[in-house]
Amino acid sequence: MSPSVCLQEMIRVIRGARTQGEERGVIQRECAAIRAQFRQADSGGRSHNLAKLLYVHMLGYPAHFGQMECVRLIASSKYSEKRIGYLGAMMLLDEKQDASLLITNSIKNDLSHSSQHVQSLALCTLACMGSAEMCRDLAPEIERLLKASNSYIKKKAALCAVHIVRKIPELGEMFTPSAHSLLSEKNHGVLHGAVILITELCERNPDNLKQFRKSVPELVQIMKNLVTSGYSPEHNVAGISDPFLQVRILRLLRILGRNNDAASDAMNDLLAQVATNTDSSKTAGSAVLYETVLTIMDIRSESGLRVLAVNILGRFLLNNDRNIRYISMTSLQKIVQTDHTAVQRHRGTIVDCLKDQDASVKRRALELSLALVSAANIRSMMKELLLFLSTCPPELRSHAASGIFNAAERYAPSQRWHIDTILHVLVTAGGDVRDETVPNLIQLITAASELHCYTVHKLYRALISDIVQQSLVQVACWCIGEYGDLLLKGECEEITPMQVTEDDVLDALETVLQSHMSTPTSRGFALTAIMKLSTRITNNVDRIRSVVSIYGSCIDVELQQRAVEYNALFKKYDHMRYFTMSYCTVILEFGCRSRLSLVLGGRGLKAEHVSIIFDCKDNVYLYWFLLQSVQLQMKAPSGDLIPAQGCGTVTQTVLLSYTNKANLKMRVRLSYSSQGTACQDMVQIDSFPSPAWS
Amino acid sequence: MMRFLLLFSRQGKLRLQKWFLPMTEREKKKIIRDMTTMVLARKPRTCNFLHWRDLKIVYKRYASLYFCCGLEDQDNELLALEVLHRYVELLDKYFGSVCELDIIFNFEKAYFILDEFLMGGEIQETSKQSIAKSIEASDMLQETMEEYMSKPAF
């Protein structure tokens, strides 16, 4: 067995390895040597070997065979061995390992050791990886140490107690009396530990909360001393006296003052004093101010104090330090609902933060801006938000787009503004909007009947300039199909007139059909729109007919099916074509009659172009024109003819692929004409039998 | 409380890891991977705070090392920056102008110093001098008092 090198030499050798393989080789050799050393009963360099193993562990290699060595070293009487043994225990053992229980006894003994440094090791290890059993076992020891010993041990015992309370909250009552008396200590370390212990006790148990509320005056006094004391070199950080302790006390005060008028009153003056006097030019001061603001907003403070707090946050927004701006916005986000007016005063600064370089700051500014949108400021805010959308980082686009849609829906000052806004979003970020945007927009457009002319003109212009954004393309195609006649008429009050010929419109739609960039859904929309135009134009019906027949042999099955059906409309049912295509504005779900199982998916069914032409006297032909917001797979119908007088049935199965089964309802409506009169029939199916799903 | 503290280089090599909550090796590896990826991807002059799962991540770069810690919801991020800074000051005082190599070759000392400063995810001592004195005393104990320690204490 080669003599093992010392720790630093081994580290040098490992770092000198030029490849991963070479490093692995070195480490394997070293580990083998270390293992052999561990097996020897008495070895001089035991602590060195464990240290080497810990280094190897940090590089990511397995080191579990060192666990027992940790146990042995902890039990050693040499301080150096104990020290590394405990470190090893903290790194290699956790409460899930069986070996961790073996060190309980050593810890117990070391807690009573004559040397405070040994006691410290035991306390530290217990607070780091003590399991529930170990904690239960050793809690009385910790309690004793809280009372008896020097500050060095007391402060560590306090944090050990915190760990115990976190593991086993019921043991908290053991520490309550000591925690209280520790508040009169002068040593900052002990005070700090005591405050944390009390915080933990109060968070776990409301009875403790009541008891420790009595300590509010004492805590206030400690804070006052810190804030008004002169320069203390030991605890000073950038002009603030012990900001760590100040922040912890403020946090405890927050918990004690919450929902309690008396406690909140008792701390009111102090909070005002800290808020006014703390110098926030450096991070330490800002940290204290930040905690103060959080406390003020969370307790029952007077309104003057609250305003002071919001103003501090407003000042933070103007700070050069990005961290402070970020913090400020996080806090403003928390209070924007409860203190809306106060936060509105800082809207300008918040909107400016949308232009910040930092993505985290931008994100916060976006959330806050969306929360601040109101009926009064919708127009100016939307300008800023749309500007933001055009330059924002890609990960924020989707959130921004949906936020804008929500805001537009809630506060739109006019329908035209609403439509314009949505169009703007689609042009800028159409790829990042959710799927239901298209049917939602269609519904909106349908409802704004006075704006049909304006809308179709705008959409047509958008379509001819760019067909990349699929959601925009789909809406545009639908709109052109629906209101193509208004487009062709040429006049529109609200938009500069533009002469559009039938050829122009058909060119635009055919471009969509043929482009590589168009998705199958978009193509479907375009084809349907072309078809619908056959009833709205006069000169180019042949052109439409030829387009439709070409697509009858398209590779895309959906498109092909549509084309074939449209073709049939042209050929056999020309007389009904007008009738069929005219009814496309109505939102219909699929009609079914007894044997037909149609599935139309889910909520917000916006399947347009439904037509089942069911003629009592003649035959029934099924024409399915579906919006592809749901994944639908249509199998061929068993026939395309239902004989008259109810002498037969037609079955067409449609397979629906839909994720949220609970939402699925099926409403079936049949519209047909019988002897020249339009009729309708409806059936609703609210639940599906479970075997229907697979 | 702080959930973990990690030190890693600009190449993503881990130099120190302290876990204040029990976690499986697998979870630890995942966190290390995520932290290094997220933090190393940050551009300069961005803020030092991130969000990851339900934790607030605070990181700061000192020379070639990134100091990164994970905090819970109620913890004060600005104060965490001060905590990281304090730790760097302690290392600096101990090693005299500390650099990454010091932490590589003397990692166990870096841990000992950390264990005098933080415990159970909380600060245990707010005075720099106090911590420096305890470390000095422990080191002395390690070197000079070994014979004295060979008598069992109980």
Side-chain angles (χ1 to χ4, degrees):
Chain A
M1 210 66 58
S2 57
S4 65
V5 299
C6 79
L7 170 65
Q8 302 210 331
E9 187 52 39
M10 182 195 81
I11 295 177
R12 231 184 299 274
V13 172
I14 291 175
R15 284 168 61 76
R18 281 159 301 173
T19 65
Q20 186 79 349
E22 205 177 314
E23 180 183 284
R24 257 200 300 275
V26 170
I27 287 178
Q28 263 169 5
R29 270 197 310 277
E30 281 300 327
C31 284
I34 293 170
R35 250 193 293 249
Q37 296 274 329
F38 284 171
R39 275 197 290 271
Q40 287 181 346
D42 176 42
S43 160
R46 284 165 76 193
S47 44
H48 290 302
N49 286 319
L50 185 58
K52 282 194 275 186
L53 185 60
L54 294 179
Y55 181 81
V56 161
H57 170 75
M58 190 149 63
L59 291 179
Y61 294 90
H64 41 268
F65 58 88
Q67 287 172 5
M68 285 313 292
E69 188 66 10
C70 296
V71 176
R72 269 194 290 273
L73 284 176
I74 287 172
S76 154
S77 50
K78 274 172 99 166
Y79 179 67
S80 59
E81 292 184 348
K82 266 196 204 292
R83 215 179 181 193
I84 202 83
Y86 274 117
L87 179 62
M90 287 192 273
M91 286 175 74
L92 300 179
L93 296 174
D94 59 36
E95 54 184 41
K96 299 189 179 63
Q97 316 286 347
D98 295 328
S100 64
L101 284 176
L102 297 172
I103 63 174
T104 313
N105 209 43
S106 294
I107 294 183
K108 191 175 199 164
N109 293 330
D110 284 340
L111 283 175
S112 330
H113 203 278
S114 53
S115 161
Q116 66 177 16
H117 296 287
V118 175
Q119 284 178 302
S120 154
L121 290 175
L123 285 165
C124 189
T125 307
L126 182 60
C128 177
M129 45 76 73
S131 65
E133 290 113 70
M134 286 164 76
C135 288
R136 205 181 287 278
D137 221 353
L138 298 168
E141 274 302 299
I142 304 301
E143 212 269 323
R144 191 178 59 77
L145 288 173
L146 273 180
K147 292 201 281 244
S149 32
N150 62 44
S151 312
Y152 181 71
I153 294 298
K154 262 201 267 237
K155 74 187 184 201
K156 292 176 191 263
L159 288 179
C160 226
V162 170
H163 176 81
I164 293 176
V165 172
R166 285 178 181 153
K167 279 279 179 221
I168 312 173
E170 305 86 62
L171 289 179
E173 40 182 36
M174 196 188 269
F175 299 113
T176 318
S178 324
H180 195 271
S181 54
L182 285 174
L183 276 184
S184 24
E185 293 274 334
K186 291 283 170 269
N187 179 296
H188 283 218
V190 179
L191 261 180
H192 192 271
V195 170
I196 297 180
L197 180 57
I198 296 174
T199 308
E200 200 64 40
L201 289 169
C202 290
E203 279 177 340
R204 304 271 165 180
N205 191 336
D207 294 329
N208 289 332
L209 205 53
K210 258 188 250 158
Q211 194 182 341
F212 282 107
R213 281 211 183 101
K214 302 193 198 106
S215 305
V216 169
E218 210 174 337
L219 289 164
V220 167
Q221 191 54 49
I222 298 172
M223 265 304 276
K224 275 215 176 85
N225 291 342
L226 282 174
V227 171
T228 56
S229 72
Y231 178 81
S232 150
E234 206 184 341
H235 299 292
N236 182 73
V237 180
I240 311 288
S241 184
D242 207 339
F244 305 106
L245 182 56
Q246 287 196 30
V247 165
R248 275 331 291 232
I249 294 178
L250 286 165
R251 194 164 143 183
L252 177 55
L253 287 174
R254 177 152 87 241
I255 294 171
L256 296 174
R258 202 179 275 154
N259 295 327
N260 187 292
D261 288 321
S264 301
D265 277 337
M267 55 182 84
N268 200 74
D269 288 343
L270 169 74
L271 292 172
Q273 187 180 7
V274 177
T276 329
N277 292 338
T278 306
D279 172 22
S280 62
S281 52
K282 294 282 169 66
T283 311
S286 303
V288 173
L289 263 185
Y290 172 44
E291 198 73 32
T292 311
V293 165
L294 289 178
T295 300
I296 292 174
M297 300 313 289
D298 215 7
I299 63 170
R300 300 243 177 98
S301 39
E302 320 171 332
S303 59
L305 199 54
R306 285 182 92 85
V307 170
L308 180 60
V310 178
N311 286 346
I312 291 176
L313 291 179
R315 245 182 27 234
F316 275 1
L317 274 180
L318 300 165
N319 196 307
N320 281 334
D321 187 337
R322 216 166 248 120
N323 293 331
I324 294 180
R325 290 209 292 279
Y326 177 89
I327 288 297
S328 155
M329 284 198 277
T330 322
S331 319
L332 286 169
Q333 185 78 38
K334 290 193 193 131
I335 60 172
V336 72
Q337 302 301 336
T338 50
D339 295 76
H340 195 88
T341 340
V343 181
Q344 278 283 5
R345 278 191 218 117
H346 302 281
R347 197 178 72 238
T349 326
I350 293 169
V351 165
D352 280 339
C353 288
L354 283 172
K355 304 183 184 96
D356 197 300
Q357 303 290 336
D358 183 328
S360 314
V361 170
K362 273 194 161 87
R363 179 190 297 271
R364 292 276 161 226
L366 174 65
E367 305 241 4
L368 212 42
S369 302
L370 290 172
L372 288 175
V373 173
S374 70
N377 58 34
I378 179 73
R379 282 187 195 265
S380 53
M381 282 299 276
M382 192 53 79
K383 272 206 201 80
E384 298 286 350
L385 288 169
L386 288 174
L387 188 59
F388 173 73
L389 187 65
S390 50
T391 54
C392 80
E395 62 269 13
L396 288 179
R397 270 221 178 114
S398 175
H399 188 62
S402 46
I404 289 174
F405 282 154
N406 288 339
E409 202 174 304
R410 286 178 74 183
Y411 301 112
S414 71
Q415 276 180 322
R416 178 177 153 177
W417 182 94
H418 195 174
I419 290 176
D420 280 343
T421 304
I422 299 186
L423 287 185
H424 193 136
V425 173
L426 287 182
V427 167
T428 323
D432 295 294
V433 301
R434 284 203 277 265
D435 293 333
E436 58 264 20
T437 310
V438 170
N440 284 346
L441 181 55
I442 288 178
Q443 189 164 39
L444 187 64
I445 293 174
T446 314
S449 38
E450 324 79 64
L451 291 170
H452 286 166
C453 187
Y454 169 76
T455 312
V456 71
H457 272 272
K458 263 209 113 159
L459 279 168
Y460 172 74
R461 279 167 222 206
L463 190 67
I464 53 175
S465 58
D466 180 23
I467 57 169
V468 172
Q469 300 286 21
Q470 296 303 299
S471 36
L472 187 63
V473 163
Q474 288 165 19
V475 177
C477 288
W478 178 87
C479 208
I480 293 172
E482 274 305 294
Y483 309 119
D485 45 333
L486 296 173
L487 182 63
L488 293 164
K489 259 201 287 197
E491 7 160 295
C492 183
E493 307 160 339
E494 299 170 44
I495 205 169
T496 51
M498 179 173 150
Q499 209 38 25
V500 182
T501 64
E502 292 179 4
D503 275 318
D504 292 331
V505 175
L506 288 174
D507 283 341
L509 292 173
E510 274 196 72
T511 313
V512 173
L513 258 182
Q514 291 157 5
S515 164
H516 314 294
M517 294 186 281
S518 302
T519 61
T521 315
S522 307
R523 288 211 174 96
F525 268 91
L527 189 61
T528 307
I530 290 177
M531 192 56 195
K532 286 193 209 175
L533 283 176
S534 70
T535 58
R536 289 155 172 77
I537 61 176
T538 45
N539 301 333
N540 279 299
V541 182
D542 283 335
R543 178 174 172 183
I544 293 181
R545 210 192 290 244
S546 71
V547 168
V548 166
S549 73
I550 288 172
Y551 278 86
S553 44
C554 170
I555 289 181
D556 183 302
V557 173
E558 244 311 301
L559 219 49
Q560 188 192 99
Q561 181 156 16
R562 275 185 209 230
V564 163
E565 288 157 359
Y566 291 151
N567 230 358
L569 265 184
F570 267 120
K571 298 210 169 92
K572 299 189 218 167
Y573 301 99
D574 212 31
H575 60 284
M576 288 209 278
R577 173 166 55 86
Y578 188 82
F579 178 77
T580 313
M581 293 284 120
S582 312
Y583 275 81
C584 284
T585 47
V586 179
I587 294 171
L588 297 170
E589 288 85 55
F590 261 83
C592 107
R593 220 31 191 211
S594 41
R595 298 304 177 86
L596 291 172
S597 45
L598 313 182
V599 182
L600 254 198
R603 21 142 274 237
L605 308 186
K606 306 274 193 278
E608 38 153 19
H609 19 195
V610 175
S611 299
I612 302 174
I613 313 299
F614 173 50
D615 190 333
C616 289
K617 273 207 332 231
D618 293 34
N619 305 310
V620 178
Y621 297 89
L622 306 173
Y623 299 99
W624 307 92
F625 311 125
L626 262 188
L627 202 67
Q628 221 116 7
S629 55
V630 179
Q631 276 157 353
L632 214 58
Q633 197 188 3
M634 294 192 294
K635 307 213 157 153
S638 64
D640 58 1
L641 192 73
I642 297 181
Q645 327 291 3
C647 292
T649 58
V650 162
T651 309
Q652 181 170 34
T653 314
V654 172
L655 295 177
L656 180 69
S657 140
Y658 188 69
T659 49
N660 190 349
K661 293 171 190 161
N663 272 352
L664 187 64
K665 287 195 206 297
M666 190 161 84
R667 200 186 313 157
V668 171
R669 194 152 87 196
L670 191 63
S671 49
Y672 59 94
S673 78
S674 168
Q675 292 165 326
T677 339
C679 306
Q680 275 181 356
D681 203 1
M682 184 151 89
V683 152
Q684 175 140 338
I685 299 165
D686 282 323
S687 64
F688 284 81
S690 31
W693 297 108
S694 64
Chain B
M1 63 177 268
M2 196 182 283
R3 293 265 181 103
F4 56 82
L5 174 66
L6 303 174
L7 265 68
F8 47 86
S9 71
R10 301 222 294 136
Q11 288 76 38
K13 290 228 156 202
L14 196 64
R15 298 301 178 205
L16 186 142
Q17 50 175 323
K18 188 77 187 177
W19 305 92
F20 296 109
L21 218 60
M23 266 181 251
T24 62
E25 279 301 319
R26 199 151 153 227
E27 282 163 348
K28 287 183 194 174
K29 282 201 160 61
K30 169 110 179 60
I31 291 176
I32 293 169
R33 223 181 13 250
D34 285 351
M35 290 301 115
T36 45
T37 320
M38 272 171 50
V39 170
L40 291 175
R42 295 283 277 180
K43 299 192 193 60
R45 286 193 301 279
T46 52
C47 79
N48 298 78
F49 309 134
L50 292 166
H51 249 289
W52 181 81
R53 297 196 187 163
D54 60 334
L55 297 180
K56 302 197 256 206
I57 308 295
V58 176
Y59 73 93
K60 188 120 198 254
R61 181 169 156 208
Y62 289 90
S64 59
L65 273 182
Y66 284 91
F67 287 65
C68 170
C69 61
L71 305 175
E72 290 177 341
D73 182 61
Q74 290 295 311
D75 294 322
N76 186 321
E77 297 98 306
L78 292 172
L79 198 71
L81 279 175
E82 288 297 317
V83 169
L84 293 178
H85 191 73
R86 177 57 66 93
Y87 183 45
V88 172
E89 286 179 322
L90 292 167
L91 290 171
D92 202 47
K93 182 93 192 293
Y94 184 81
F95 287 109
S97 253
V98 68
C99 63
E100 191 184 342
L101 282 177
D102 288 320
I103 300 184
I104 294 171
F105 282 95
N106 301 285
F107 72 95
E108 80 277 15
K109 305 246 177 36
Y111 275 101
F112 295 151
I113 295 171
L114 185 63
D115 288 337
E116 283 296 323
F117 178 41
L118 301 176
M119 195 197 263
E122 308 280 2
I123 300 168
Q124 62 174 284
E125 177 58 68
T126 58
S127 152
K128 262 189 287 192
Q129 288 99 313
S130 191
I131 297 179
K133 275 198 211 120
S134 341
I135 295 287
E136 222 178 285
S138 312
D139 282 349
M140 286 261 280
L141 191 64
Q142 186 160 318
E143 263 147 60
T144 65
M145 305 285 272
E146 309 244 80
E147 293 98 70
Y148 187 70
M149 299 291 288
S150 59
K151 278 207 182 112
F154 42 87

